[in-house]
Coordinates of all heavy atoms in Angstrom, one line a residue:
N423 N 108.5 -23.7 -17.2 CA 108.7 -22.7 -18.2 C 109.5 -21.5 -17.7 O 109.6 -20.5 -18.3 CB 107.3 -22.1 -18.6 CG 106.5 -23.2 -19.4 OD1 107.1 -24.0 -20.1 ND2 105.2 -23.1 -19.2
I424 N 110.2 -21.7 -16.5 CA 111.1 -20.7 -16.1 C 112.4 -20.7 -16.9 O 113.1 -21.7 -17.0 CB 111.5 -20.9 -14.6 CG1 110.2 -20.7 -13.7 CG2 112.6 -19.9 -14.1 CD1 110.5 -21.0 -12.3
K425 N 112.7 -19.6 -17.5 CA 113.9 -19.4 -18.4 C 115.0 -18.7 -17.6 O 114.7 -17.5 -17.3 CB 113.5 -18.8 -19.7 CG 112.6 -19.6 -20.6 CD 112.3 -18.9 -21.9 CE 111.4 -19.7 -22.7 NZ 111.1 -19.0 -24.0
I426 N 116.1 -19.3 -17.4 CA 117.2 -18.6 -16.7 C 118.3 -18.5 -17.8 O 118.9 -19.5 -18.2 CB 117.7 -19.4 -15.5 CG1 116.5 -19.6 -14.5 CG2 118.8 -18.7 -14.8 CD1 116.8 -20.5 -13.4
D427 N 118.5 -17.3 -18.3 CA 119.6 -17.1 -19.3 C 121.0 -17.1 -18.7 O 121.9 -17.6 -19.2 CB 119.3 -15.8 -20.1 CG 118.0 -15.9 -20.9 OD1 117.6 -17.0 -21.2 OD2 117.4 -14.8 -21.2
K428 N 121.0 -16.5 -17.5 CA 122.4 -16.3 -16.9 C 122.2 -16.2 -15.4 O 121.3 -15.6 -14.9 CB 123.0 -15.0 -17.4 CG 124.4 -14.7 -16.9 CD 124.9 -13.4 -17.5 CE 126.3 -13.1 -16.9 NZ 126.9 -11.9 -17.5
I429 N 123.0 -16.9 -14.7 CA 123.0 -16.9 -13.3 C 124.4 -16.5 -12.8 O 125.4 -17.0 -13.2 CB 122.7 -18.3 -12.7 CG1 121.3 -18.8 -13.1 CG2 122.8 -18.3 -11.1 CD1 121.0 -20.2 -12.7
T430 N 124.4 -15.4 -12.1 CA 125.7 -14.9 -11.5 C 125.7 -15.2 -10.0 O 124.8 -14.8 -9.3 CB 125.8 -13.4 -11.7 OG1 125.7 -13.1 -13.2 CG2 127.1 -12.9 -11.2
V431 N 126.7 -15.9 -9.6 CA 126.8 -16.3 -8.2 C 128.1 -15.8 -7.7 O 129.2 -15.9 -8.3 CB 126.8 -17.9 -8.1 CG1 127.0 -18.3 -6.6 CG2 125.6 -18.4 -8.7
W432 N 128.0 -15.0 -6.6 CA 129.2 -14.6 -5.8 C 129.4 -15.6 -4.7 O 128.7 -15.6 -3.7 CB 129.0 -13.2 -5.3 CG 129.1 -12.1 -6.4 CD1 130.2 -11.5 -6.8 CD2 128.0 -11.6 -7.0 NE1 129.9 -10.6 -7.8 CE2 128.5 -10.6 -7.9 CE3 126.6 -11.8 -7.1 CZ2 127.7 -9.9 -8.8 CZ3 125.9 -11.0 -7.9 CH2 126.4 -10.1 -8.8
D433 N 130.2 -16.5 -5.0 CA 130.5 -17.6 -4.0 C 131.5 -17.1 -3.0 O 132.6 -16.8 -3.3 CB 131.0 -18.8 -4.7 CG 130.9 -20.0 -3.8 OD1 130.5 -19.9 -2.6 OD2 131.1 -21.1 -4.4
G434 N 131.0 -17.0 -1.8 CA 131.9 -16.6 -0.7 C 132.6 -17.7 0.0 O 133.2 -17.5 1.1
G435 N 132.5 -18.9 -0.4 CA 133.1 -20.0 0.2 C 132.1 -21.0 0.6 O 130.9 -21.0 0.3
Q436 N 132.7 -22.1 1.2 CA 131.8 -23.1 1.6 C 131.1 -22.8 2.9 O 131.6 -22.0 3.7 CB 132.6 -24.4 1.8 CG 133.2 -24.9 0.5 CD 134.0 -26.2 0.7 OE1 134.2 -26.7 1.8 NE2 134.5 -26.8 -0.4
Q437 N 130.0 -23.3 3.1 CA 129.2 -23.1 4.3 C 128.6 -24.5 4.6 O 127.7 -25.0 3.9 CB 128.1 -22.1 4.1 CG 127.3 -21.8 5.3 CD 126.2 -20.7 5.1 OE1 126.1 -20.3 4.0 NE2 125.5 -20.4 6.1
E438 N 129.1 -25.0 5.7 CA 128.7 -26.3 6.2 C 128.8 -27.3 5.1 O 128.0 -28.2 4.9 CB 127.2 -26.2 6.7 CG 127.1 -25.4 7.9 CD 125.6 -25.3 8.4 OE1 124.8 -26.0 7.8 OE2 125.3 -24.6 9.4
G439 N 129.9 -27.3 4.4 CA 130.2 -28.3 3.4 C 129.5 -28.1 2.1 O 129.6 -29.0 1.2
K440 N 128.8 -27.0 1.9 CA 128.1 -26.8 0.6 C 128.5 -25.5 0.1 O 128.7 -24.5 0.8 CB 126.6 -26.8 0.8 CG 126.0 -28.1 1.3 CD 124.5 -28.1 1.5 CE 124.0 -29.4 2.0 NZ 122.5 -29.4 2.1
T441 N 128.5 -25.4 -1.3 CA 128.8 -24.2 -2.0 C 127.6 -23.3 -2.0 O 126.5 -23.8 -1.9 CB 129.4 -24.5 -3.4 OG1 128.4 -25.1 -4.1 CG2 130.6 -25.3 -3.3
A442 N 127.8 -22.1 -2.3 CA 126.6 -21.2 -2.5 C 125.8 -21.5 -3.6 O 124.5 -21.4 -3.6 CB 127.2 -19.7 -2.6
T443 N 126.3 -22.0 -4.7 CA 125.5 -22.4 -5.9 C 124.6 -23.6 -5.5 O 123.5 -23.6 -5.9 CB 126.5 -22.7 -7.0 OG1 127.3 -21.6 -7.3 CG2 125.6 -23.1 -8.3
A444 N 125.2 -24.5 -4.8 CA 124.4 -25.7 -4.4 C 123.3 -25.2 -3.5 O 122.1 -25.7 -3.6 CB 125.3 -26.7 -3.7
N445 N 123.6 -24.3 -2.6 CA 122.5 -23.8 -1.7 C 121.4 -23.1 -2.5 O 120.3 -23.2 -2.2 CB 123.1 -22.8 -0.7 CG 124.0 -23.6 0.3 OD1 123.8 -24.8 0.6 ND2 125.0 -22.9 0.9
F446 N 121.8 -22.4 -3.6 CA 120.7 -21.7 -4.4 C 119.8 -22.7 -5.0 O 118.6 -22.5 -5.0 CB 121.5 -20.8 -5.4 CG 120.5 -20.3 -6.5 CD1 119.7 -19.2 -6.1 CD2 120.5 -20.8 -7.7 CE1 118.8 -18.7 -7.1 CE2 119.6 -20.3 -8.7 CZ 118.8 -19.3 -8.4
V447 N 120.4 -23.7 -5.6 CA 119.6 -24.7 -6.3 C 118.7 -25.5 -5.3 O 117.5 -25.8 -5.5 CB 120.4 -25.7 -7.2 CG1 119.6 -26.8 -7.8 CG2 121.2 -24.9 -8.2

Side-chain angles (χ1 to χ4, degrees):
N423 294 326
I424 297 176
K425 293 181 181 181
I426 302 174
D427 295 336
K428 182 179 179 180
I429 299 174
T430 302
V431 180
W432 286 274
D433 195 354
Q436 294 181 353
Q437 186 178 357
E438 295 180 0
K440 295 181 181 180
T441 63
T443 303
N445 289 333
F446 168 74
V447 175

